[in-house]
């Protein structure tokens, strides 16, 4: 009996799993797409609200265009290469068994590979090209500069705009051709167009079909033509290459390297023609010999000959042969860094502190800043913070205002929020809709102090009081600052109950006042779609669910002035020090923007981060660090209330700015639109001045011989308070030789270069720049940006900052009094060491502050150190110190001349009103001890001078003893 069983039915495909998987993939793709859309759309909303949406659209269009160009420029040649190599394969070629196996593996994937490989390389090329859109757009929109390079006579605009594009283009085309060559070889070998192996006699041979030969030879020829063009372009690149002596070609470069590159370009073009001939006649010998000749020529002409010229012709006669090229480097470098208008004056500095020496500089001495913005930050915070959720910057900014018809140097800081101090109260509601803005600008006189050493505030308090608040249109609220919250939601329909905390005080005993933002400061989020967009951006469901989000709500974010300007003007390098000021009743942030380049011919290259780094800004970073051209082309402002950004074309003649204006039209206002009040607060930018002083250390000379011999090279001194970093430049109102009156300026000093025991900390140069742009609307003061340098004669030895600081620290009288100030829980802080060209010499001024070493820190000004030549003085006020230094009468009055200091420490204030800093209190014991020690030291010095027979020193010591005793008697009588 035969039985049969039916075969089991195959399991039905589980379509449900497939459907679920496809559905999940679609959902995931939609989510990813929506997240990308949300990011792009929120960016567009931000730019549109600011009125700079054209900037973002330009970037999108340019990036997408370059992506498409790069994609097709790579994908199409690769696709054609693969198609030609496959379609022109020999149909009946005898293949090895190994190739047969390769084809069996490849054939099922051939169609996918023929399309997938071009797309793969196309995407990489597209992304690479999209990152180079700025290079391409600058080439298209480049302008001429009407200045020719000294070697080829080309307009320098070619080097700024065209050469970088041509270099990138040739590199891209070379990459495309190399990939096409590689793929042609692989496909040709795989399908038998190229066969390599041993013949029957054992001899190895390479066989190439006619079609493959033509394709390979043409590609190789085109590649060599591109290399010929690249070698020709390298001739121009030599003008931006830095050598041992200068940037740009010297004698060897002009007479060996540049001609050698031209010869190599010609040889490469000739070898390319030989490859084209091979494509027709089928002879590989000539192009291969030509290629070998090209390699040998590159070694001989490109390396060997320049070495021979440099070693045997230039080295023994370097200055004679290089002098004209050094002159080129000097001229072009000075132009590129804006130091070609330097005004130099040689001075023989006076070193004797004689009575009345400062009478001619009375206005300068009256403006000397004794309130160090880098030290008094904690004092301002203690006196003006009022609540823990407010904060001030650690380092205050420097500005000037006209008060009662007189220009007053000031130190300023904005009172901003510190949400970290909310602690447990830092809920989403508090962080986002309640604590939304800071309040007020604190302004203190730079040259004044209270009796107990605190700043003299000209604008202060909550609500604000002072000379700025007298303007009925003054707007003290700070929604946009350097420490603003990540984002805030503000705004409400008219008549709604305010929810934003304005300031911690109110009418009729209320403990707070609230407000509602009424400006146009951020994108609207009154509808559900926009709420969803920003909920995804900030990953916060509270934006969707909160009842505080209403139809008139705006969301404020990217509120740091630096961030806002860098986004609307991405082509600018921004100064590291935005500063607040008040213009037409509004607090605005002022930022300086630079256009830079690295391809200016014959200009010295400098590291931007290294040139700018000093004790005030130890580690700056820049996207492009090595530059050889810089201009302060743009002044930008950011309104602290509504965040509006305005860009002004400060240097409309700058060709780089002109090119960017062609790319981003209608985004920059002409300087004629700048108000007179804003103009009065514009200043010369710090970072540009640092770069210029870095170059002037070597490029202040005018002749090639001095440059070559380095016999007059200078260096920036290290900060006396931080020997590992350079001393920063300082703003100060002063009068340089050649000026009719003091003006707001910035200065720096120079000393001889050297390290360790080989260094000499003496003053060799003094550089100042006029930083006052005037007060006329749309018109820059004639002398603004004028660089003035004092070259100190070698016949006179003037101590440098480091030497002066060492003298202060080593003096037994001063060190004794400093030790007394350090008694108990006190800490002594040396302020900025200022250098001023007054009295025919150089005056050093350093304020000395005392603060508690633990607990509440409140630095107060207690003493002032001054030096002139080899003479020093150490008194309670600058006015007293100057009079003591200059024989009892300096001839001028300082800003603190009417202050009678109260010795002792000041108690930390509470949360009440603060303004005059209080009179403090404390004890006179410290002062009595200091005077006793000073008198004892003077007595010992007098005795030593008597024994040595030095009557001059005896008289000086006796005068110091008498002065100390008189002050001691006056102090004890007052008790």
């Amino acid at each position: 009996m035969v039985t049969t069983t039916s075969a089991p039915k195959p399991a039905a495909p589980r379509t449900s799993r497939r459907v679920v998987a496809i559905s999940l993939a679609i959902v995931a793709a939609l989510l990813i797409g929506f997240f990308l859309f949300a990011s792009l759309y929120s960016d567009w909303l931000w730019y549109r609200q600011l009125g700079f949406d054209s900037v973002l659209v330009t970037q999108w269009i340019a990036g997408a265009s370059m992506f498409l160009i790069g994609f097709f420029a790579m994908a199409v040649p690769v696709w054609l290469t693969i198609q030609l190599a496959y379609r022109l394969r020999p149909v009946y070629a005898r293949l090895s068994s190994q190739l047969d196996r390769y084809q069996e593996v490849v054939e099922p994937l051939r169609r996918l590979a023929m399309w997938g490989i071009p797309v793969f390389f196309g995407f990489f090329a597209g992304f690479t090209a999209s990152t180079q859109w700025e290079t391409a757009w600058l080439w298209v929109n480049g302008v001429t500069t009407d200045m020719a390079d000294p070697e080829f006579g080309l307009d320098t605009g070619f080097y700024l705009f065209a050469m970088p594009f041509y270099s990138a283009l040739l590199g891209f085309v070379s990459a495309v051709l190399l990939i096409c060559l590689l793929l042609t070889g692989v496909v040709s070998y795989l399908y038998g167009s190229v066969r390599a192996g041993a013949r029957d006699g054992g001899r190895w041979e390479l066989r190439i079909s006619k079609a493959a030969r033509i394709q390979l030879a043409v590609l190789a020829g085109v590649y060599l033509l591109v290399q010929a063009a690249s070698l020709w372009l390298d001739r121009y690149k030599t003008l931006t290459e830095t050598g041992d002596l200068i940037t740009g070609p010297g004698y060897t470069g002009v007479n060996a390297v540049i001609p050698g590159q031209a010869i190599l370009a010609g040889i490469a073009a000739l070898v390319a023609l030989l490859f084209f001939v091979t494509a027709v006649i089928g002879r590989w010998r000539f192009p291969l010999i030509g290629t070998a000749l090209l390699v040998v020529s590159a070694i001989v002409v490109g390396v060997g000959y320049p070495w021979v010229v440099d070693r045997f012709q230039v080295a023994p006669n370097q200055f004679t042969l290089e002098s004209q090229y050094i002159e080129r480097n000097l001229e072009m470098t000075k132009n590129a860094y804006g130091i070609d208008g330097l005004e130099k004056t040689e001075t023989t500095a006076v070193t004797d502190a004689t009575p009345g020496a400062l009478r001619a500089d009375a206005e300068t001495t009256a403006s000397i800043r004794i309130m160090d913005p880098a030290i008094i930050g904690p004092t301002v915070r203690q006196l003006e913070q009022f609540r823990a959720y407010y904060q001030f910057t650690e380092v205050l900014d420097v500005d000037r205002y006209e008060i009662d018809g007189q220009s007053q140097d000031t130190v300023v800081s904005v009172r901003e929020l510190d949400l970290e101090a909310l602690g447990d109260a830092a809920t989403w509601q508090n962080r986002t809709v309640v604590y939304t803005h800071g309040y007020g600008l604190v302004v203190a006189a730079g040259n004044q102090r209270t009796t107990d050493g605190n700043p003299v505030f000209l604008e202060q308090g909550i609500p604000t009081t002072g000379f700025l608040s007298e303007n009925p249109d003054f707007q003290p609220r700070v929604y946009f600052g350097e420490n603003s919250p990540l984002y805030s939601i503000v705004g409400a329909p008219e008549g709604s109950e305010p929810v934003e905390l304005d300031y911690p005080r109110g009418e009729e005993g209320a403990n707070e006042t609230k407000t509602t933002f009424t400006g146009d400061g951020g994108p609207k989020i009154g509808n559900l779609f926009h709420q969803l967009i920003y909920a995804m951006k900030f990953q916060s469901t509270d934006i969707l669910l909160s009842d505080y989000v209403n139809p008139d709500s705006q969301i404020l974010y990217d509120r740091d002035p630096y961030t806002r300007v860098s986004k609307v003007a991405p082509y600018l390098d921004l100064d590291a020090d935005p500063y607040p000021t008040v213009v037409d009743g509004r607090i605005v942030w002022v930022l300086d923007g630079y256009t830079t380049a690295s391809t200016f011919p014959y200009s010295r290259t400098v590291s931007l981060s290294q040139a700018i780094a000093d004790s005030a800004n130890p580690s700056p970073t820049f996207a492009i660090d090595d530059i050889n051209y810089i201009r302060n082309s743009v002044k930008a402002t950011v309104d602290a209330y509504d965040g509006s950004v305005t860009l002004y074309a400060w240097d409309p003649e700058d060709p780089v700015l002109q090119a960017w204006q062609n790319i981003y039209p209608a985004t920059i206002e002409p300087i004629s639109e700048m108000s007179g009040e804003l103009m009065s607060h514009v200043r010369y930018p710090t970072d540009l001045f640092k770069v210029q002083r870095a170059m002037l250390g070597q490029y202040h000379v005018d002749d090639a011989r001095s440059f070559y011999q380095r016999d007059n090279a200078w260096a920036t001194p290290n900060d006396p308070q931080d020997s590992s970093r350079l001393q920063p430049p300082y703003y100060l109102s002063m009068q340089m030789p050649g000026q009719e009156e003091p003006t707001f300026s910035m200065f720096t000093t120079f000393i001889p270069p050297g390290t360790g025991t080989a260094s000499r900390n003496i003053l060799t140069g003094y550089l100042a720049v006029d930083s006052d742009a005037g007060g006329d609307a749309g018109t820059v003061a004639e002398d603004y940006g004028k660089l003035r340098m004092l070259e100190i004669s070698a016949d006179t030895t003037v101590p440098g900052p480091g030497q002066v600081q060492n003298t202060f620290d080593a003096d037994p009288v001063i060190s004794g009094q400093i030790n007394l100030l350090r008694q108990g829980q006190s800490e002594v802080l040396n302020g900025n060491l200022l250098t001023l060209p007054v009295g025919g010499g150089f005056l050093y001024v350093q304020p000395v502050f005392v603060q508690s070493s633990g607990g509440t820190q409140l630095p107060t000004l207690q003493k002032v150190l001054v030096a002139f030549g080899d003479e020093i003085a150490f008194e309670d006020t600058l006015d007293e110190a100057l009079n003591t230094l200059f024989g009892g009468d300096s001839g001028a009055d300082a800003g603190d001349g009417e202050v009678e200091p109260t010795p002792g420490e000041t108690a930390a204030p509470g949360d009440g009103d603060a303004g005059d800093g209080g009179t403090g209190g404390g004890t006179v014991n410290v002062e009595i001890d200091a005077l006793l020690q000073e008198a004892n030291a003077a007595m010992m010095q007098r005795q030593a001078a008597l024994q040595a027979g030095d009557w001059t020193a005896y008289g000086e010591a006796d005068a110091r003893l008498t002065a100390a005793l008189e002050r001691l008697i006056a102090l004890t009588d007052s008790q």
Side-chain angles (χ1 to χ4, degrees):
M1 184 176 180
V2 178
T3 60
T4 60
T5 58
S6 59
K9 294 181 180 180
R14 305 188 64 174
T15 57
S16 60
R17 291 185 178 179
R18 188 176 303 170
V19 170
V20 170
I22 294 175
S23 300
L24 290 175
I26 293 174
V27 171
L30 289 175
L31 285 175
I32 293 173
F34 188 73
F35 270 106
L36 292 174
F37 167 77
S39 177
L40 294 174
Y41 185 61
S42 62
D43 283 345
W44 183 75
L45 289 175
W46 188 89
Y47 277 91
R48 186 187 65 171
Q49 186 277 325
L50 266 181
F52 286 89
D53 48 312
S54 62
V55 172
L56 187 62
V57 172
T58 298
Q59 293 176 4
W60 284 352
I61 292 175
S65 300
M66 289 300 295
F67 176 84
L68 292 175
I69 292 172
F71 178 86
F72 287 108
M74 175 66 79
V76 171
V78 169
W79 181 82
L80 285 174
T81 294
I82 296 175
Q83 291 291 329
L84 287 173
Y86 174 74
R87 293 182 183 278
L88 298 178
R89 71 193 185 284
V91 179
Y92 303 106
R94 294 177 59 186
L95 304 177
S96 65
S97 59
Q98 186 175 14
L99 284 178
D100 282 334
R101 288 194 297 271
Y102 287 160
Q103 287 190 9
E104 289 176 2
V105 174
V106 171
E107 192 61 27
L109 302 174
R110 177 176 57 81
R111 291 184 180 275
L112 178 62
M114 283 185 170
W115 290 97
I117 291 175
V119 170
F120 173 79
F121 283 109
F123 268 107
F124 273 99
F127 285 122
T128 301
S130 66
T131 63
Q132 294 292 321
W133 75 264
E134 292 181 337
T135 302
W137 257 240
L138 281 173
W139 171 64
V140 172
N141 294 279
V143 299
T144 59
T145 64
D146 298 327
M147 181 179 184
D149 81 82
E151 176 59 28
F152 299 105
L154 296 177
D155 188 272
T156 54
F158 166 81
Y159 298 91
L160 293 173
F161 309 117
M163 190 177 72
F165 172 75
Y166 293 148
S167 180
L169 178 63
L170 290 172
F172 182 86
V173 174
S174 296
V176 172
L177 292 170
L178 279 176
I179 291 173
C180 289
L181 270 170
L182 177 63
L183 290 174
T184 298
V186 171
V187 175
S188 297
Y189 178 74
L190 191 61
Y191 287 96
S193 298
V194 176
R195 286 175 287 171
R199 301 180 64 181
D200 295 338
R203 182 180 177 184
W204 187 89
E205 70 173 3
L206 178 68
R207 294 182 180 180
I208 303 175
S209 68
K210 181 179 179 180
R213 182 195 73 217
I214 294 174
Q215 187 171 349
L216 288 169
V218 169
L219 285 173
V222 174
Y223 177 77
L224 281 170
L225 280 179
V226 172
Q227 300 315 301
S230 182
L231 285 167
W232 189 262
L233 185 65
D234 286 345
R235 299 162 62 248
Y236 304 106
K237 288 184 178 180
T238 59
L239 270 66
T240 63
E241 295 175 355
T242 300
D244 295 334
L245 183 61
I246 61 172
T247 293
Y251 182 87
T252 301
V254 170
N255 294 280
V257 175
I258 292 177
Q261 289 170 334
I263 293 171
L264 289 175
I267 296 174
L270 179 61
V271 177
L273 291 176
L274 293 177
F275 273 102
F276 294 144
V277 171
T278 295
V280 177
I281 67 175
R283 302 273 183 167
W284 288 98
R285 178 178 303 174
F286 297 116
L288 293 177
I289 292 174
T291 302
L293 175 63
L294 177 61
V295 173
V296 173
S297 299
I299 296 173
V300 175
V301 178
V303 179
Y305 180 61
W307 181 85
V308 171
V309 171
D310 186 67
R311 177 64 184 85
F312 296 102
Q313 189 172 359
V314 175
N317 311 283
Q318 189 174 30
F319 175 72
T320 302
L321 297 178
E322 299 281 19
S323 59
Q324 62 174 312
Y325 307 107
I326 295 175
E327 294 286 354
R328 292 179 178 182
N329 179 245
L330 284 169
E331 178 185 358
M332 300 299 284
T333 298
K334 290 180 178 181
N335 180 277
Y337 291 97
I339 55 178
D340 47 345
L342 176 69
E343 180 182 283
K344 295 189 292 185
T345 303
E346 186 171 349
T347 180
T348 302
V350 175
T351 57
D352 295 329
T354 58
L358 302 184
R359 186 164 287 110
D361 300 290
E363 291 185 71
T364 296
T365 57
S367 300
I368 295 176
R369 185 175 63 250
I370 54 177
M371 284 293 146
D372 186 347
I375 288 183
I376 66 170
T379 304
V380 173
R381 183 168 60 249
Q382 289 295 323
L383 298 177
E384 287 292 319
Q385 184 174 356
F386 291 101
R387 292 290 188 271
Y389 50 77
Y390 287 128
Q391 64 174 318
F392 294 92
T393 55
E394 287 297 323
V395 179
L396 278 62
D397 289 291
V398 176
D399 199 2
R400 74 278 189 201
Y401 289 90
E402 185 172 317
I403 303 176
D404 297 330
Q406 297 292 324
S407 179
Q408 172 68 60
D409 285 12
T410 60
V411 290
V412 302
S413 186
V414 169
R415 185 184 291 105
E416 295 197 61
L417 288 176
D418 181 10
L419 296 186
E420 297 296 325
L422 290 178
D424 294 338
T427 62
W428 180 88
Q429 178 181 326
N430 280 338
R431 289 184 291 104
T432 307
V433 300
V434 176
Y435 294 92
T436 59
H437 61 280
Y439 190 93
L441 179 77
V442 171
V443 181
N447 62 337
Q448 300 176 34
R449 51 162 288 176
T450 64
T451 57
D452 54 351
N454 286 327
V456 174
F457 292 110
L458 308 175
E459 179 74 24
Q460 63 180 115
I462 295 181
T464 57
T465 58
F467 75 103
L468 296 173
S469 304
E470 294 174 357
N471 183 348
D473 298 324
F474 180 58
Q475 175 55 266
R477 295 167 185 87
V478 181
Y479 283 87
F480 294 84
E482 294 178 295
N483 296 290
S484 296
L486 176 63
Y487 69 94
S488 295
I489 296 176
V490 299
E494 187 175 351
S496 300
E497 186 72 21
V499 296
E500 301 175 48
L501 177 67
D502 200 21
Y503 52 83
R505 224 173 254 181
E507 297 179 356
E508 298 180 358
N511 60 3
E512 63 183 14
T513 298
K514 294 188 176 181
T515 188
T516 299
F517 179 76
T518 58
D520 182 15
K524 309 291 186 182
I525 58 168
N527 61 67
L528 183 62
F529 180 68
H530 284 179
Q531 292 171 31
L532 177 60
I533 291 293
Y534 282 102
M536 297 179 67
K537 179 178 179 64
F538 293 108
Q539 300 180 16
S540 173
T541 57
D542 294 310
I543 296 177
L544 278 173
L545 303 176
S546 176
D547 293 335
Y548 288 97
V549 181
N550 58 72
D552 290 342
S553 289
Q554 304 173 41
I555 185 166
L556 313 182
Y557 63 98
D558 286 342
R559 301 158 75 174
D560 177 20
Y562 191 100
T563 301
R564 294 180 80 78
V565 176
S566 64
K567 289 182 69 172
V568 303
Y571 50 89
L572 294 177
D573 287 316
L574 298 181
D575 195 275
D577 185 25
Y579 61 96
T581 190
V582 176
V583 177
D584 300 322
R586 310 274 288 200
I587 299 175
V588 298
W589 296 91
V590 182
L591 298 91
D592 287 281
Y594 310 112
T595 48
T596 60
S598 58
T599 56
F600 197 81
Y602 268 108
S603 174
R604 186 78 173 188
T605 299
V606 66
S607 168
L608 197 55
S609 59
Q610 291 181 11
I612 292 174
D614 56 23
S615 61
N617 187 18
S619 54
T621 57
F622 297 92
I624 300 177
D625 193 36
D626 291 332
I627 65 165
N628 67 356
Y629 174 93
I630 186 171
R631 289 289 185 272
N632 176 210
S633 52
V634 172
K635 300 285 187 181
T637 63
V638 178
D639 191 290
Y641 183 74
D642 62 19
S644 57
V645 178
T646 307
L647 307 176
Y648 297 96
W650 188 253
D651 186 0
E653 302 300 319
D654 173 30
V656 180
L657 178 63
Q658 292 174 5
W660 282 114
Q661 284 182 294
N662 293 335
I663 297 172
Y664 296 117
T667 59
I668 302 180
E669 300 290 338
I671 197 173
S672 59
E673 295 297 316
M674 186 177 285
S675 70
E677 190 166 353
L678 174 57
M679 189 73 72
S680 69
H681 291 283
V682 166
R683 68 190 192 190
Y684 200 78
T686 306
D687 287 352
L688 175 61
F689 189 69
K690 292 178 184 179
V691 172
Q692 290 175 327
R693 76 172 179 181
M695 302 310 300
L696 283 170
Q698 186 173 348
Y699 283 86
H700 66 277
V701 299
D702 297 320
D703 62 283
R705 181 172 296 278
S706 183
F707 180 90
Y708 175 77
Q709 295 176 174
R710 300 290 196 274
D711 57 358
N712 197 21
W714 297 344
T716 304
N718 288 333
D719 192 329
Q721 312 307 320
D722 184 357
S723 59
S724 64
R725 303 191 184 279
L726 299 181
Q727 185 181 35
Y730 297 114
Y731 289 102
L732 206 63
S733 288
M734 63 181 184
Q735 184 174 351
M736 285 282 286
Q739 289 182 293
E740 296 180 358
E741 59 183 4
T743 185
F744 190 68
S745 305
M746 182 166 43
F747 74 86
T748 190
T749 57
F750 293 99
I751 62 173
T755 57
T757 57
S759 63
R760 294 184 66 214
N761 204 288
I762 61 171
L763 215 58
T764 55
Y766 185 91
L767 177 68
V769 62
D770 192 326
S771 300
D772 190 352
D776 297 329
T779 303
V780 183
E782 182 180 357
D783 284 341
Y784 171 85
K786 180 72 175 178
L787 292 165
R788 295 180 172 88
M789 177 177 285
L790 299 179
E791 293 182 313
I792 300 168
S793 173
D795 297 336
T796 306
T797 300
V798 179
Q803 191 177 135
V804 170
Q805 188 67 62
N806 182 71
T807 301
F808 287 159
D809 296 340
D811 185 88
V813 176
I814 293 176
S815 61
Q817 295 188 52
I818 292 291
N819 289 332
L820 288 174
L821 293 175
R822 289 196 180 103
Q823 285 183 350
Q825 299 296 315
S826 297
E827 179 182 0
V828 175
L829 304 175
N830 289 328
N832 41 212
L833 184 58
L834 304 177
T835 311
L836 295 93
V838 294
F842 291 90
L843 171 70
Y844 286 93
V845 177
Q846 183 176 59
V848 177
F849 297 81
V850 176
Q851 71 175 12
S852 172
S853 58
T856 301
Q857 293 186 332
L858 184 71
T860 57
L861 179 62
Q862 295 296 316
K863 292 283 187 177
V864 179
L865 285 160
V866 292
F868 191 91
D870 295 327
E871 300 295 324
I872 60 175
F874 186 49
E875 301 294 344
D876 295 336
T877 66
L878 175 59
D879 198 62
E880 292 178 358
L882 292 178
N883 285 329
T884 300
L885 182 66
F886 289 93
D889 180 17
S890 67
D893 295 324
D896 61 352
E898 297 181 359
V899 175
E900 295 183 3
T902 300
E905 298 181 354
T906 303
D911 286 337
D913 289 332
D916 61 2
T919 56
T923 178
V924 298
N925 289 337
V926 172
E927 183 72 358
I928 292 175
D929 290 341
L931 289 172
L932 287 173
Q933 186 157 345
E934 183 178 348
N936 183 61
M939 189 181 300
M940 294 176 63
Q941 292 169 357
R942 187 181 68 168
Q943 183 63 27
L946 178 63
Q947 294 177 353
D950 188 347
W951 299 108
T952 301
Y954 178 90
E956 293 172 349
D958 186 72
R960 287 197 297 271
L961 174 60
T962 303
L965 292 175
E966 288 176 351
R967 283 182 298 173
L968 182 61
I969 293 171
L971 186 62
T972 54
D973 288 343
S974 64
Q975 296 187 70

